[in-house]
Amino acid sequence: FHKDGFLVLEEFFTIEECDAMRDQIQSIIAGMDVPPHCRTEFSTEEEEQVKAQGSADYFLTSGDKIRFFFEKGVFDEKGDFLVPREQSLNKIGHALHAYDPVFKQVTHSSKVQALGRKLGLEKPVIVQSMYIFKQPCIGGEPHQDATFLYTEPLGRVLGFWIALENATQENGCLWFIPGSHTNGITRRMVRAPPGNIPCTQFTGTERTYDNSRFIPVPIGLILIHGQVVHKSEMNSSELSRHVYTFHLMEAKDTRWSRENWLQPTPELPFPPLYT
């Protein structure tokens, strides 16, 4: 992990545990309440602005809630689904670890806590969690998690990426540049001033990466250093690639940036991993 910036752990979670997370997400989808700004296609510039502001608030205030984020073009002009509900979603986030019993149990499981201690984490806290669907024909750009989850000093964020279905090169497994976590970051996503659309903006520029340096990692649990460069290619199959992922921060002697889109709230301070 320290050498490459990522670590693969095979069969860390059992098939039964993975199936339980997939079953639970289906229950959540069955009770899903779709907000109006996601359902409606607006026609005037003023209405588009209202829609954008609604989307911005929905995103920025999702850190202590379970909310739904959809792919484009999944609703008709009446706000009805054009595709089955489970095929409409990009992700569900960002507090499954806090409010859903199945995902909370997985996140705080004794083996996750033991792994945190083996990595030398003294006061890890959970900053966010997501269920990612990776629908067919969806791709992803190279990035570093610290671009979005910035700390001072750097190197205090760790991602747990749990494949709940087979992750292959065809359906969009992760690719990494080994050792790239030692080069810092050159771009950050920060909150825009209140009232601005979009609600976030980027400072700095992303590096250009040599595609030949990426290696595919088609397998179960992956630990991801906050600065390692990674991506997922286009899902060129007809199959989804469901993933549960969450991020930890070593809270000891660490400052969480107030410019990050995600912020702890009085209702949900970042909960400690160790229970």
Side-chain angles (χ1 to χ4, degrees):
F1 176 75
H2 294 296
K3 173 179 175 288
D4 292 333
F6 65 97
L7 176 68
V8 175
L9 294 173
E10 299 185 48
E11 299 181 358
F12 187 83
F13 290 100
T14 66
I15 291 175
E16 290 76 18
E17 287 171 317
C18 293
D19 286 347
M21 286 186 271
R22 292 176 62 202
D23 291 344
Q24 184 68 0
I25 216 69
Q26 291 304 316
S27 297
I28 291 173
I29 292 171
M32 177 171 63
D33 182 21
V34 182
H37 77 266
C38 289
R39 285 187 175 274
T40 308
E41 290 190 3
F42 295 101
S43 57
T44 71
E45 185 175 344
E46 180 179 354
E47 288 172 332
E48 285 287 353
Q49 187 76 3
V50 170
K51 177 184 178 183
Q53 184 63 58
S55 296
D57 292 342
Y58 188 75
F59 172 69
L60 284 181
T61 59
S62 65
D64 60 356
K65 301 174 181 67
I66 297 175
R67 286 187 167 171
F68 306 94
F69 300 91
F70 298 90
E71 299 291 355
K72 294 181 179 179
V74 298
F75 298 106
D76 63 19
E77 57 188 23
K78 295 180 181 179
D80 295 326
F81 283 98
L82 293 170
V83 298
R85 283 185 166 219
E86 63 273 13
Q87 296 176 19
S88 70
L89 286 154
N90 175 282
K91 67 179 181 179
I92 298 175
H94 290 91
L96 288 162
H97 63 278
Y99 297 126
D100 181 87
V102 172
F103 292 99
K104 185 174 184 177
Q105 181 178 10
V106 167
T107 307
H108 289 276
S109 64
S110 58
K111 53 189 170 184
V112 169
Q113 295 187 41
L115 185 54
R117 291 188 172 96
K118 286 183 178 179
L119 291 167
L121 301 178
E122 295 186 46
K123 294 178 62 179
V125 295
I126 306 158
V127 299
Q128 71 162 359
S129 56
M130 297 180 287
Y131 192 102
I132 302 173
F133 293 83
K134 190 71 173 183
Q135 309 287 1
C137 301
I138 299 300
E141 296 296 322
H143 68 278
Q144 298 163 285
D145 292 345
T147 293
F148 309 94
L149 308 173
Y150 185 80
T151 62
E152 294 179 353
L154 280 172
R156 300 302 180 95
V157 170
L158 169 68
F160 279 65
W161 193 93
I162 307 161
L164 306 181
E165 300 176 313
N166 290 334
T168 67
Q169 292 190 43
E170 288 70 36
N171 74 348
C173 70
L174 291 186
W175 295 64
F176 290 86
I177 298 181
S180 56
H181 62 300
T182 62
N183 298 323
I185 65 172
T186 59
R187 187 175 70 140
R188 286 183 58 194
M189 187 178 85
V190 300
R191 286 185 173 229
N196 284 349
I197 297 297
C199 59
T200 58
Q201 59 193 23
F202 285 95
T203 62
T205 57
E206 190 66 89
R207 297 184 181 98
T208 300
Y209 299 109
D210 179 356
N211 275 332
S212 66
R213 296 180 60 200
F214 284 92
I215 63 169
V217 183
I219 207 150
L221 168 67
I222 308 175
L223 300 182
I224 304 174
H225 190 287
Q227 289 157 254
V228 72
V229 178
H230 59 288
K231 66 177 180 176
S232 59
E233 296 283 10
M234 177 75 70
N235 181 353
S236 59
S237 76
E238 296 182 357
L239 303 173
S240 58
R241 187 224 61 192
H242 288 200
V243 165
Y244 175 56
T245 180
F246 59 92
H247 285 88
L248 305 178
M249 176 184 71
E250 171 58 88
K252 182 181 179 181
D253 300 326
T254 305
R255 189 182 76 85
W256 180 260
S257 175
R258 295 181 63 85
E259 294 182 321
N260 287 340
W261 75 267
L262 175 70
Q263 295 295 323
T265 66
E267 293 77 20
L268 184 63
F270 293 154
L273 173 67
Y274 300 147
T275 54

